[in-house]
Amino acid sequence: MVFRMEGNDAEGVIKLESFQSAWNYGKALLETPCRLVDRVTGRSMDEVELKEVKKRSEHEMKKTLTWWDLIWFGMGSVIGSGIFVLTGFEVKNHVGPGVVLSYVISGISAMLSVFCYTEFAVEIPVAGGSFAYLRVELGDFVAFIASGNILLEYVIGGAAVARSWTSYFATLCNQPSDKFLIQVHGLAADYSQLDPIAVVVLVVIGFFAVFSTKGSSRFNYIASIVHVIVLIFIIVAGLTKAEAKNYSDFLPFGPRGIFQASAVLFFAYVGFDAVSTMAEETKNPGRDIPIGLIGSMACTTFLYCMLSVTLCLMQKFSDVDENAAFSVAFEAVGMSWAKYIVAFGALKGMTSVLLVGAVGQARYLTHIARTHLLPPWLAKVNERTGTPIYATVVMLSATAIVAFFTSLDILANLLSISTLFLFSLVALALLVRRYCARGVATQLNVVKFIVCIILIVGSSVASAVYWANTTKWVGYTIMVPLWFVGTVGIWLLVPLTKKPKIWGVPLVPFLPSASIGINIFLLGSLDKASFRRFGVWTAILLVYYLFVGLHASYDMAKIQKKQRLEAKTESKLDEENVAPSVTGSGTNNEDHI
């Protein structure tokens, strides 16, 4: 682990103290409890993320993006395999025509999270996205655990989309969806269908992501525009074959099916957080980021709702195909030729998702490496391309390995749980930012804030557990009022300690509190296997943090503190040296300047 010094000794490379020798590392391990307390309670600052941490990439990322680029990046990152792959399965098995309500609920949850992201992205426009936001407001430890899960989300999301790409490519070639998969009987069932085409697609995407962010943006919005045109065609052509009788049994599985489907279909909205990682490359973050994020999410939600309505009006829910819902629906109404347009549109959309994901995940990894929680060579930005080449290659390599082996159903469930967990933390971080600013919030107000947060999070968790274990409703008459009391308590009892400078989330604390409640509630609809996988991955992250990341971060904090003290000392000496020169000759004064 090395640290590249800035300033006059920019070429000097200094090893972090804890890793200079086996003796130092052993001593660091003995100090783990004290260091852990320091890192859990320590919080970064906006200025540190914007200046000191950014410098560690050696070169600046190029500011080339506008709100137009961000809108299409947002739509390109979201509208992919989710709507084409998961909709059919949920319609047939969990929700029926009521799937439109599931998309509305998932869309509301995603939009609430978008609002929380926009304020952070405008105030802290760096490549780290949610990692940087959580590091500033909730501390180093929480940021690392959350960032590890978001990296898992990126890898799994990219792998899921890449495998879907192969399935729709097979459909476009008029072949069964599993035609190009290689069956290996010696492996476990969920990992035995190998997908070499997904790997090839990811390699091609990697070249675009490495070459140029602006070039990737142009390719993305051209592909996204074509994709939206195809989606509009599907809606218009499908509605010409609509039959109202297919909507007669709107909720065949009951109200619970709506929320059960919402938790899984949230996968279809995943990806917009990648746009926030591009804030460092945005020309005018204060204007472009809110327009780009909110605009793209509003358009996406509308398209999803219209597509789901169209599907259920074309076919009875029990006849919907689980794997290729839209293609089979057009065949069923006598428009077989349209399935090729559907497959083409799906491929276009998934290509955009993979490209935006590759760009976003590399920037996320870059900022984590800047803090030395991961090897710092991952933070390097190429001087010629202005892109983080090493981070891009590492993330896409991991994605390709997962895509090669793992089936889609496992990927989709694990993705949703990581995303919902992260979005809940970002909403919580926003409340901390507004009501617990350092040096401003009093101890009494901090205590009141913590009590209210416990009510909000506790009631949300209790609601999720209650939902997962019973079909009764009486419990919500207790838990929902507790959530409301906690939210109103913050509003009435805890004064604001920080206001946004440029762009702020409206309806604080109600909007971020609602985001926490909905995200946690949707977690209660996911299967137990997903929670086990999530727990295993979090345990792996914790072990890595305790043995490596904690000590690297602790040493970096010491180096930063030392640098700031030296800078203050130099500044003070400069002021003392300037004072007598003012009374001296003009020539001497000019020489000093």
Side-chain angles (χ1 to χ4, degrees), residues 250-281:
F250 188 68
L251 292 175
F253 300 94
R256 290 183 65 85
I258 297 174
F259 294 98
Q260 188 173 358
S262 291
V264 176
L265 292 175
F266 193 83
F267 172 82
Y269 288 98
V270 168
F272 71 82
D273 53 315
V275 180
S276 70
T277 67
M278 299 173 198
E280 194 171 314
E281 298 160 270

PDB file of all heavy atoms in Angstrom, residues 250-281:
ATOM      1  N   PHE A 250     -57.910  -8.037 -12.166  1.00  0.00           N
ATOM      2  CA  PHE A 250     -56.789  -7.103 -12.035  1.00  0.00           C
ATOM      3  C   PHE A 250     -55.751  -7.581 -11.017  1.00  0.00           C
ATOM      4  O   PHE A 250     -54.548  -7.439 -11.234  1.00  0.00           O
ATOM      5  CB  PHE A 250     -57.319  -5.724 -11.647  1.00  0.00           C
ATOM      6  CG  PHE A 250     -56.273  -4.641 -11.673  1.00  0.00           C
ATOM      7  CD1 PHE A 250     -55.715  -4.222 -12.872  1.00  0.00           C
ATOM      8  CD2 PHE A 250     -55.830  -4.044 -10.502  1.00  0.00           C
ATOM      9  CE1 PHE A 250     -54.751  -3.228 -12.913  1.00  0.00           C
ATOM     10  CE2 PHE A 250     -54.872  -3.051 -10.520  1.00  0.00           C
ATOM     11  CZ  PHE A 250     -54.329  -2.643 -11.726  1.00  0.00           C
ATOM     12  N   LEU A 251     -56.191  -8.136  -9.888  1.00  0.00           N
ATOM     13  CA  LEU A 251     -55.267  -8.597  -8.846  1.00  0.00           C
ATOM     14  C   LEU A 251     -55.547 -10.064  -8.503  1.00  0.00           C
ATOM     15  O   LEU A 251     -56.081 -10.379  -7.433  1.00  0.00           O
ATOM     16  CB  LEU A 251     -55.385  -7.721  -7.589  1.00  0.00           C
ATOM     17  CG  LEU A 251     -54.906  -6.277  -7.695  1.00  0.00           C
ATOM     18  CD1 LEU A 251     -55.194  -5.521  -6.408  1.00  0.00           C
ATOM     19  CD2 LEU A 251     -53.405  -6.231  -8.007  1.00  0.00           C
ATOM     20  N   PRO A 252     -55.195 -10.980  -9.381  1.00  0.00           N
ATOM     21  CA  PRO A 252     -55.497 -12.394  -9.138  1.00  0.00           C
ATOM     22  C   PRO A 252     -54.763 -12.988  -7.935  1.00  0.00           C
ATOM     23  O   PRO A 252     -55.208 -13.981  -7.363  1.00  0.00           O
ATOM     24  CB  PRO A 252     -55.046 -13.075 -10.436  1.00  0.00           C
ATOM     25  CG  PRO A 252     -54.029 -12.149 -11.012  1.00  0.00           C
ATOM     26  CD  PRO A 252     -54.477 -10.777 -10.647  1.00  0.00           C
ATOM     27  N   PHE A 253     -53.665 -12.382  -7.532  1.00  0.00           N
ATOM     28  CA  PHE A 253     -52.890 -12.900  -6.396  1.00  0.00           C
ATOM     29  C   PHE A 253     -53.077 -12.058  -5.134  1.00  0.00           C
ATOM     30  O   PHE A 253     -52.377 -12.260  -4.134  1.00  0.00           O
ATOM     31  CB  PHE A 253     -51.400 -12.956  -6.764  1.00  0.00           C
ATOM     32  CG  PHE A 253     -51.108 -13.832  -7.941  1.00  0.00           C
ATOM     33  CD1 PHE A 253     -51.024 -13.294  -9.222  1.00  0.00           C
ATOM     34  CD2 PHE A 253     -50.936 -15.195  -7.791  1.00  0.00           C
ATOM     35  CE1 PHE A 253     -50.749 -14.095 -10.322  1.00  0.00           C
ATOM     36  CE2 PHE A 253     -50.656 -16.004  -8.889  1.00  0.00           C
ATOM     37  CZ  PHE A 253     -50.576 -15.456 -10.162  1.00  0.00           C
ATOM     38  N   GLY A 254     -53.975 -11.086  -5.174  1.00  0.00           N
ATOM     39  CA  GLY A 254     -54.235 -10.255  -4.007  1.00  0.00           C
ATOM     40  C   GLY A 254     -53.262  -9.084  -3.893  1.00  0.00           C
ATOM     41  O   GLY A 254     -52.283  -8.989  -4.645  1.00  0.00           O
ATOM     42  N   PRO A 255     -53.522  -8.179  -2.932  1.00  0.00           N
ATOM     43  CA  PRO A 255     -52.687  -6.983  -2.768  1.00  0.00           C
ATOM     44  C   PRO A 255     -51.220  -7.291  -2.455  1.00  0.00           C
ATOM     45  O   PRO A 255     -50.335  -6.528  -2.820  1.00  0.00           O
ATOM     46  CB  PRO A 255     -53.351  -6.250  -1.599  1.00  0.00           C
ATOM     47  CG  PRO A 255     -54.755  -6.776  -1.558  1.00  0.00           C
ATOM     48  CD  PRO A 255     -54.669  -8.186  -2.024  1.00  0.00           C
ATOM     49  N   ARG A 256     -50.954  -8.398  -1.766  1.00  0.00           N
ATOM     50  CA  ARG A 256     -49.572  -8.716  -1.423  1.00  0.00           C
ATOM     51  C   ARG A 256     -48.701  -8.895  -2.657  1.00  0.00           C
ATOM     52  O   ARG A 256     -47.505  -8.593  -2.644  1.00  0.00           O
ATOM     53  CB  ARG A 256     -49.510  -9.990  -0.572  1.00  0.00           C
ATOM     54  CG  ARG A 256     -50.063  -9.839   0.831  1.00  0.00           C
ATOM     55  CD  ARG A 256     -49.896 -11.138   1.620  1.00  0.00           C
ATOM     56  NE  ARG A 256     -48.498 -11.454   1.833  1.00  0.00           N
ATOM     57  CZ  ARG A 256     -47.766 -10.968   2.833  1.00  0.00           C
ATOM     58  NH1 ARG A 256     -48.319 -10.126   3.703  1.00  0.00           N
ATOM     59  NH2 ARG A 256     -46.515 -11.314   2.970  1.00  0.00           N
ATOM     60  N   GLY A 257     -49.330  -9.389  -3.727  1.00  0.00           N
ATOM     61  CA  GLY A 257     -48.568  -9.595  -4.952  1.00  0.00           C
ATOM     62  C   GLY A 257     -47.986  -8.311  -5.507  1.00  0.00           C
ATOM     63  O   GLY A 257     -46.916  -8.324  -6.134  1.00  0.00           O
ATOM     64  N   ILE A 258     -48.675  -7.186  -5.270  1.00  0.00           N
ATOM     65  CA  ILE A 258     -48.186  -5.898  -5.771  1.00  0.00           C
ATOM     66  C   ILE A 258     -46.821  -5.581  -5.178  1.00  0.00           C
ATOM     67  O   ILE A 258     -45.871  -5.224  -5.890  1.00  0.00           O
ATOM     68  CB  ILE A 258     -49.184  -4.769  -5.422  1.00  0.00           C
ATOM     69  CG1 ILE A 258     -50.521  -5.015  -6.111  1.00  0.00           C
ATOM     70  CG2 ILE A 258     -48.607  -3.418  -5.825  1.00  0.00           C
ATOM     71  CD1 ILE A 258     -51.597  -4.025  -5.691  1.00  0.00           C
ATOM     72  N   PHE A 259     -46.705  -5.719  -3.845  1.00  0.00           N
ATOM     73  CA  PHE A 259     -45.452  -5.362  -3.179  1.00  0.00           C
ATOM     74  C   PHE A 259     -44.373  -6.424  -3.399  1.00  0.00           C
ATOM     75  O   PHE A 259     -43.185  -6.093  -3.486  1.00  0.00           O
ATOM     76  CB  PHE A 259     -45.704  -5.161  -1.685  1.00  0.00           C
ATOM     77  CG  PHE A 259     -46.571  -3.983  -1.386  1.00  0.00           C
ATOM     78  CD1 PHE A 259     -47.923  -4.141  -1.147  1.00  0.00           C
ATOM     79  CD2 PHE A 259     -46.047  -2.703  -1.369  1.00  0.00           C
ATOM     80  CE1 PHE A 259     -48.742  -3.048  -0.881  1.00  0.00           C
ATOM     81  CE2 PHE A 259     -46.849  -1.605  -1.115  1.00  0.00           C
ATOM     82  CZ  PHE A 259     -48.200  -1.772  -0.865  1.00  0.00           C
ATOM     83  N   GLN A 260     -44.788  -7.679  -3.483  1.00  0.00           N
ATOM     84  CA  GLN A 260     -43.822  -8.726  -3.759  1.00  0.00           C
ATOM     85  C   GLN A 260     -43.175  -8.504  -5.125  1.00  0.00           C
ATOM     86  O   GLN A 260     -41.962  -8.642  -5.278  1.00  0.00           O
ATOM     87  CB  GLN A 260     -44.509 -10.097  -3.721  1.00  0.00           C
ATOM     88  CG  GLN A 260     -43.543 -11.272  -3.818  1.00  0.00           C
ATOM     89  CD  GLN A 260     -44.229 -12.607  -3.613  1.00  0.00           C
ATOM     90  OE1 GLN A 260     -45.424 -12.671  -3.352  1.00  0.00           O
ATOM     91  NE2 GLN A 260     -43.474 -13.683  -3.731  1.00  0.00           N
ATOM     92  N   ALA A 261     -43.995  -8.135  -6.100  1.00  0.00           N
ATOM     93  CA  ALA A 261     -43.459  -7.843  -7.431  1.00  0.00           C
ATOM     94  C   ALA A 261     -42.628  -6.562  -7.427  1.00  0.00           C
ATOM     95  O   ALA A 261     -41.618  -6.466  -8.131  1.00  0.00           O
ATOM     96  CB  ALA A 261     -44.592  -7.732  -8.441  1.00  0.00           C
ATOM     97  N   SER A 262     -43.041  -5.574  -6.624  1.00  0.00           N
ATOM     98  CA  SER A 262     -42.310  -4.299  -6.572  1.00  0.00           C
ATOM     99  C   SER A 262     -40.866  -4.498  -6.147  1.00  0.00           C
ATOM    100  O   SER A 262     -39.951  -3.869  -6.692  1.00  0.00           O
ATOM    101  CB  SER A 262     -42.995  -3.335  -5.596  1.00  0.00           C
ATOM    102  OG  SER A 262     -44.236  -2.913  -6.088  1.00  0.00           O
ATOM    103  N   ALA A 263     -40.663  -5.370  -5.145  1.00  0.00           N
ATOM    104  CA  ALA A 263     -39.305  -5.588  -4.644  1.00  0.00           C
ATOM    105  C   ALA A 263     -38.401  -6.166  -5.725  1.00  0.00           C
ATOM    106  O   ALA A 263     -37.227  -5.789  -5.840  1.00  0.00           O
ATOM    107  CB  ALA A 263     -39.347  -6.522  -3.437  1.00  0.00           C
ATOM    108  N   VAL A 264     -38.931  -7.075  -6.538  1.00  0.00           N
ATOM    109  CA  VAL A 264     -38.131  -7.680  -7.611  1.00  0.00           C
ATOM    110  C   VAL A 264     -37.994  -6.729  -8.791  1.00  0.00           C
ATOM    111  O   VAL A 264     -36.913  -6.573  -9.366  1.00  0.00           O
ATOM    112  CB  VAL A 264     -38.768  -9.012  -8.061  1.00  0.00           C
ATOM    113  CG1 VAL A 264     -37.994  -9.597  -9.235  1.00  0.00           C
ATOM    114  CG2 VAL A 264     -38.797 -10.004  -6.909  1.00  0.00           C
ATOM    115  N   LEU A 265     -39.105  -6.050  -9.147  1.00  0.00           N
ATOM    116  CA  LEU A 265     -39.077  -5.145 -10.296  1.00  0.00           C
ATOM    117  C   LEU A 265     -38.264  -3.883 -10.038  1.00  0.00           C
ATOM    118  O   LEU A 265     -37.981  -3.126 -10.966  1.00  0.00           O
ATOM    119  CB  LEU A 265     -40.509  -4.771 -10.700  1.00  0.00           C
ATOM    120  CG  LEU A 265     -41.338  -5.922 -11.277  1.00  0.00           C
ATOM    121  CD1 LEU A 265     -42.772  -5.478 -11.529  1.00  0.00           C
ATOM    122  CD2 LEU A 265     -40.719  -6.453 -12.552  1.00  0.00           C
ATOM    123  N   PHE A 266     -37.887  -3.652  -8.776  1.00  0.00           N
ATOM    124  CA  PHE A 266     -36.991  -2.534  -8.483  1.00  0.00           C
ATOM    125  C   PHE A 266     -35.690  -2.688  -9.272  1.00  0.00           C
ATOM    126  O   PHE A 266     -35.019  -1.702  -9.583  1.00  0.00           O
ATOM    127  CB  PHE A 266     -36.697  -2.493  -6.979  1.00  0.00           C
ATOM    128  CG  PHE A 266     -36.055  -1.221  -6.530  1.00  0.00           C
ATOM    129  CD1 PHE A 266     -36.827  -0.104  -6.264  1.00  0.00           C
ATOM    130  CD2 PHE A 266     -34.684  -1.125  -6.388  1.00  0.00           C
ATOM    131  CE1 PHE A 266     -36.232   1.092  -5.858  1.00  0.00           C
ATOM    132  CE2 PHE A 266     -34.085   0.054  -5.983  1.00  0.00           C
ATOM    133  CZ  PHE A 266     -34.875   1.159  -5.712  1.00  0.00           C
ATOM    134  N   PHE A 267     -35.360  -3.944  -9.605  1.00  0.00           N
ATOM    135  CA  PHE A 267     -34.204  -4.234 -10.461  1.00  0.00           C
ATOM    136  C   PHE A 267     -34.268  -3.444 -11.762  1.00  0.00           C
ATOM    137  O   PHE A 267     -33.239  -3.017 -12.305  1.00  0.00           O
ATOM    138  CB  PHE A 267     -34.174  -5.734 -10.758  1.00  0.00           C
ATOM    139  CG  PHE A 267     -33.161  -6.144 -11.786  1.00  0.00           C
ATOM    140  CD1 PHE A 267     -31.840  -6.330 -11.453  1.00  0.00           C
ATOM    141  CD2 PHE A 267     -33.536  -6.359 -13.100  1.00  0.00           C
ATOM    142  CE1 PHE A 267     -30.904  -6.723 -12.392  1.00  0.00           C
ATOM    143  CE2 PHE A 267     -32.611  -6.749 -14.058  1.00  0.00           C
ATOM    144  CZ  PHE A 267     -31.288  -6.931 -13.702  1.00  0.00           C
ATOM    145  N   ALA A 268     -35.485  -3.219 -12.272  1.00  0.00           N
ATOM    146  CA  ALA A 268     -35.649  -2.519 -13.548  1.00  0.00           C
ATOM    147  C   ALA A 268     -35.280  -1.048 -13.452  1.00  0.00           C
ATOM    148  O   ALA A 268     -35.080  -0.388 -14.477  1.00  0.00           O
ATOM    149  CB  ALA A 268     -37.093  -2.666 -14.037  1.00  0.00           C
ATOM    150  N   TYR A 269     -35.214  -0.499 -12.221  1.00  0.00           N
ATOM    151  CA  TYR A 269     -34.871   0.919 -12.042  1.00  0.00           C
ATOM    152  C   TYR A 269     -33.408   1.113 -11.630  1.00  0.00           C
ATOM    153  O   TYR A 269     -32.952   2.242 -11.509  1.00  0.00           O
ATOM    154  CB  TYR A 269     -35.765   1.538 -10.960  1.00  0.00           C
ATOM    155  CG  TYR A 269     -37.200   1.737 -11.390  1.00  0.00           C
ATOM    156  CD1 TYR A 269     -38.180   0.815 -11.051  1.00  0.00           C
ATOM    157  CD2 TYR A 269     -37.575   2.848 -12.140  1.00  0.00           C
ATOM    158  CE1 TYR A 269     -39.501   0.994 -11.436  1.00  0.00           C
ATOM    159  CE2 TYR A 269     -38.895   3.038 -12.526  1.00  0.00           C
ATOM    160  CZ  TYR A 269     -39.850   2.101 -12.167  1.00  0.00           C
ATOM    161  OH  TYR A 269     -41.155   2.285 -12.549  1.00  0.00           O
ATOM    162  N   VAL A 270     -32.729   0.031 -11.370  1.00  0.00           N
ATOM    163  CA  VAL A 270     -31.355   0.136 -10.889  1.00  0.00           C
ATOM    164  C   VAL A 270     -30.450   0.692 -11.983  1.00  0.00           C
ATOM    165  O   VAL A 270     -30.573   0.331 -13.149  1.00  0.00           O
ATOM    166  CB  VAL A 270     -30.859  -1.249 -10.431  1.00  0.00           C
ATOM    167  CG1 VAL A 270     -29.359  -1.242 -10.209  1.00  0.00           C
ATOM    168  CG2 VAL A 270     -31.576  -1.652  -9.158  1.00  0.00           C
ATOM    169  N   GLY A 271     -29.543   1.549 -11.596  1.00  0.00           N
ATOM    170  CA  GLY A 271     -28.572   2.077 -12.546  1.00  0.00           C
ATOM    171  C   GLY A 271     -28.430   3.581 -12.513  1.00  0.00           C
ATOM    172  O   GLY A 271     -27.388   4.123 -12.885  1.00  0.00           O
ATOM    173  N   PHE A 272     -29.499   4.294 -12.026  1.00  0.00           N
ATOM    174  CA  PHE A 272     -29.409   5.756 -12.069  1.00  0.00           C
ATOM    175  C   PHE A 272     -28.303   6.290 -11.169  1.00  0.00           C
ATOM    176  O   PHE A 272     -27.769   7.379 -11.400  1.00  0.00           O
ATOM    177  CB  PHE A 272     -30.753   6.386 -11.680  1.00  0.00           C
ATOM    178  CG  PHE A 272     -31.106   6.244 -10.233  1.00  0.00           C
ATOM    179  CD1 PHE A 272     -30.590   7.109  -9.285  1.00  0.00           C
ATOM    180  CD2 PHE A 272     -31.956   5.244  -9.808  1.00  0.00           C
ATOM    181  CE1 PHE A 272     -30.905   6.977  -7.952  1.00  0.00           C
ATOM    182  CE2 PHE A 272     -32.286   5.108  -8.480  1.00  0.00           C
ATOM    183  CZ  PHE A 272     -31.756   5.975  -7.544  1.00  0.00           C
ATOM    184  N   ASP A 273     -27.937   5.536 -10.118  1.00  0.00           N
ATOM    185  CA  ASP A 273     -26.885   6.015  -9.226  1.00  0.00           C
ATOM    186  C   ASP A 273     -25.543   6.110  -9.956  1.00  0.00           C
ATOM    187  O   ASP A 273     -24.656   6.866  -9.533  1.00  0.00           O
ATOM    188  CB  ASP A 273     -26.761   5.104  -8.003  1.00  0.00           C
ATOM    189  CG  ASP A 273     -26.580   3.646  -8.379  1.00  0.00           C
ATOM    190  OD1 ASP A 273     -27.304   3.180  -9.277  1.00  0.00           O
ATOM    191  OD2 ASP A 273     -25.740   2.976  -7.771  1.00  0.00           O
ATOM    192  N   ALA A 274     -25.403   5.367 -11.068  1.00  0.00           N
ATOM    193  CA  ALA A 274     -24.172   5.480 -11.864  1.00  0.00           C
ATOM    194  C   ALA A 274     -24.023   6.888 -12.431  1.00  0.00           C
ATOM    195  O   ALA A 274     -22.902   7.372 -12.630  1.00  0.00           O
ATOM    196  CB  ALA A 274     -24.185   4.450 -12.994  1.00  0.00           C
ATOM    197  N   VAL A 275     -25.144   7.557 -12.687  1.00  0.00           N
ATOM    198  CA  VAL A 275     -25.092   8.916 -13.234  1.00  0.00           C
ATOM    199  C   VAL A 275     -24.479   9.874 -12.225  1.00  0.00           C
ATOM    200  O   VAL A 275     -23.747  10.801 -12.584  1.00  0.00           O
ATOM    201  CB  VAL A 275     -26.503   9.382 -13.643  1.00  0.00           C
ATOM    202  CG1 VAL A 275     -26.457  10.792 -14.215  1.00  0.00           C
ATOM    203  CG2 VAL A 275     -27.094   8.426 -14.674  1.00  0.00           C
ATOM    204  N   SER A 276     -24.756   9.672 -10.934  1.00  0.00           N
ATOM    205  CA  SER A 276     -24.207  10.572  -9.914  1.00  0.00           C
ATOM    206  C   SER A 276     -22.686  10.480  -9.853  1.00  0.00           C
ATOM    207  O   SER A 276     -22.018  11.432  -9.442  1.00  0.00           O
ATOM    208  CB  SER A 276     -24.806  10.254  -8.542  1.00  0.00           C
ATOM    209  OG  SER A 276     -24.342   9.010  -8.054  1.00  0.00           O
ATOM    210  N   THR A 277     -22.113   9.332 -10.257  1.00  0.00           N
ATOM    211  CA  THR A 277     -20.656   9.203 -10.255  1.00  0.00           C
ATOM    212  C   THR A 277     -20.014  10.026 -11.363  1.00  0.00           C
ATOM    213  O   THR A 277     -18.794  10.177 -11.392  1.00  0.00           O
ATOM    214  CB  THR A 277     -20.227   7.728 -10.407  1.00  0.00           C
ATOM    215  OG1 THR A 277     -20.582   7.264 -11.711  1.00  0.00           O
ATOM    216  CG2 THR A 277     -20.887   6.857  -9.354  1.00  0.00           C
ATOM    217  N   MET A 278     -20.816  10.538 -12.301  1.00  0.00           N
ATOM    218  CA  MET A 278     -20.293  11.355 -13.399  1.00  0.00           C
ATOM    219  C   MET A 278     -20.317  12.844 -13.074  1.00  0.00           C
ATOM    220  O   MET A 278     -20.023  13.677 -13.935  1.00  0.00           O
ATOM    221  CB  MET A 278     -21.087  11.080 -14.676  1.00  0.00           C
ATOM    222  CG  MET A 278     -21.010   9.645 -15.135  1.00  0.00           C
ATOM    223  SD  MET A 278     -22.107   9.290 -16.517  1.00  0.00           S
ATOM    224  CE  MET A 278     -22.163   7.503 -16.424  1.00  0.00           C
ATOM    225  N   ALA A 279     -20.682  13.186 -11.832  1.00  0.00           N
ATOM    226  CA  ALA A 279     -20.762  14.598 -11.447  1.00  0.00           C
ATOM    227  C   ALA A 279     -19.428  15.313 -11.627  1.00  0.00           C
ATOM    228  O   ALA A 279     -19.379  16.493 -11.967  1.00  0.00           O
ATOM    229  CB  ALA A 279     -21.224  14.708  -9.993  1.00  0.00           C
ATOM    230  N   GLU A 280     -18.332  14.583 -11.432  1.00  0.00           N
ATOM    231  CA  GLU A 280     -16.999  15.168 -11.560  1.00  0.00           C
ATOM    232  C   GLU A 280     -16.690  15.573 -12.999  1.00  0.00           C
ATOM    233  O   GLU A 280     -15.830  16.419 -13.247  1.00  0.00           O
ATOM    234  CB  GLU A 280     -15.958  14.157 -11.056  1.00  0.00           C
ATOM    235  CG  GLU A 280     -14.581  14.728 -10.822  1.00  0.00           C
ATOM    236  CD  GLU A 280     -13.665  13.735 -10.125  1.00  0.00           C
ATOM    237  OE1 GLU A 280     -14.102  13.115  -9.132  1.00  0.00           O
ATOM    238  OE2 GLU A 280     -12.511  13.575 -10.577  1.00  0.00           O
ATOM    239  N   GLU A 281     -17.408  14.974 -13.952  1.00  0.00           N
ATOM    240  CA  GLU A 281     -17.188  15.268 -15.369  1.00  0.00           C
ATOM    241  C   GLU A 281     -18.300  16.120 -15.967  1.00  0.00           C
ATOM    242  O   GLU A 281     -18.398  16.257 -17.182  1.00  0.00           O
ATOM    243  CB  GLU A 281     -17.067  13.950 -16.143  1.00  0.00           C
ATOM    244  CG  GLU A 281     -15.886  13.106 -15.711  1.00  0.00           C
ATOM    245  CD  GLU A 281     -16.025  11.650 -16.105  1.00  0.00           C
ATOM    246  OE1 GLU A 281     -16.571  10.870 -15.310  1.00  0.00           O
ATOM    247  OE2 GLU A 281     -15.562  11.294 -17.208  1.00  0.00           O
TER     248      GLU A 281
END
